Amino acid sequence: MDSAKTTRFVQPEAMLFDLDGTLFRTESVLISAYHKVFARLREEGLYPGPTPPEERILGSLGMLLEEIWRRVMPDGSPEAHSRANELLLIYQVQELGAGGGEMYPGVESTLRELHRRGIRLYVASNGLEKYVKGVIRHKGLAPLFDGLYSAGEYGTRSKADLVRRLLDEQGIASAWMVGDRSSDVEAGRKNGLVTVGCDYAGFRKEGELDGCDIRITAFPQILQYLAQA
């Protein structure tokens, strides 16, 4: 167990999980797809320059897609950004369909244990709908979840808005928000949830998880904190 405030938390009726950097090791499908995207953009004459450094997109994970592309290729046209969105989804789904991609260690067993205990499980991600649902489906985890919410499906402008919609639609009164970026901490705090900061993906900036209620360095540690609730 890593660290938590001294507050005693109540047992949640639900847990909401970010996807990239929390459940799914994003770079296991992203890096290959990323390079294919820019090769295709150059072929189509939409972005003549070299592929931007991988660190740009890895450091942008958790943002809305339009924000990601503005950061990754600030000199790119709106058409290039839109096409990059389309291509990245295509190539990532292809990678998943071919058996690529990895969940973080202990994710599947921990989710199954949470489900066994009757805790309702949800994904709340800023990603595209087909990508979010594709990861969970291809990894055989769909039966464990009560809902998969994505900004791509609902058109929300922030993670906090997406989480609010999820809570309202599902009638959830108490939950833990689990994620690796400041947007996850903010979404949980704005909606009155216990926030669990995941400090193992390596994408975050220093201080991004400041303010979270619990910080973990391995996914299964959630069960240890749950035992204290």
Side-chain angles (χ1 to χ4, degrees):
M1 207 180 308
D2 189 23
S3 62
K5 298 176 183 178
T6 56
T7 308
R8 296 286 293 180
F9 305 115
V10 298
Q11 289 280 337
E13 62 181 281
M15 286 196 183
L16 284 51
F17 299 96
D18 175 47
L19 182 64
D20 292 325
T22 299
L23 300 179
F24 187 59
R25 194 186 296 274
T26 316
E27 66 272 30
S28 60
V29 296
L30 176 64
I31 297 303
S32 174
Y34 180 70
H35 287 281
K36 291 178 182 177
V37 165
F38 280 93
R40 185 65 174 272
L41 290 177
R42 284 190 288 269
E43 288 176 8
E44 297 179 359
L46 289 172
Y47 191 78
T51 301
E54 296 169 358
E55 291 75 18
R56 285 193 194 174
I57 194 161
L58 290 173
S60 302
L61 294 174
M63 297 179 179
L64 294 169
L65 282 166
E66 60 190 53
E67 297 171 343
I68 288 177
W69 293 118
R70 282 199 295 266
R71 175 173 174 173
V72 169
M73 47 172 164
D75 53 342
S77 66
E79 291 77 17
H81 291 178
S82 177
R83 183 62 171 148
N85 260 352
E86 296 172 357
L87 292 171
L88 188 65
L89 176 62
I90 290 169
Y91 293 137
Q92 285 186 306
V93 170
Q94 285 177 353
E95 292 271 351
L96 289 166
E102 304 171 0
M103 310 305 283
Y104 283 102
V107 163
E108 180 174 353
S109 60
T110 301
L111 291 176
R112 291 191 182 282
E113 176 60 20
L114 293 171
H115 183 264
R116 187 191 69 78
R117 296 185 188 188
I119 295 174
R120 298 158 64 188
L121 308 180
Y122 297 88
V123 166
S125 167
N126 276 336
L128 291 172
E129 178 185 3
K130 288 184 179 179
Y131 168 72
V132 172
K133 292 181 177 178
V135 169
I136 299 301
R137 182 178 71 254
H138 283 296
K139 295 308 169 186
L141 301 176
L144 302 180
F145 286 91
D146 287 80
L148 306 175
Y149 281 67
S150 64
E153 180 174 2
Y154 292 102
T156 46
R157 303 301 303 169
S158 71
K159 178 66 73 72
D161 290 344
L162 182 66
V163 168
R164 172 44 53 194
R165 177 168 188 151
L166 189 164
L167 296 172
D168 289 344
E169 289 187 354
Q170 299 295 326
I172 296 169
S174 66
W176 290 11
M177 178 70 219
V178 185
D180 70 310
R181 303 307 298 265
S182 59
S183 58
D184 299 307
V185 177
E186 178 186 40
R189 292 177 68 86
K190 283 188 173 181
N191 287 288
L193 310 182
V194 172
T195 54
V196 181
C198 300
D199 196 6
Y200 45 77
F203 305 143
R204 67 176 183 83
K205 298 176 184 176
E206 189 65 31
E208 253 195 299
L209 297 179
D210 289 354
C212 66
D213 298 303
I214 296 168
R215 186 180 299 220
I216 59 175
T217 56
F219 191 79
Q221 290 171 358
I222 289 173
L223 296 175
Q224 298 173 37
Y225 284 110
L226 193 63
Q228 298 178 5

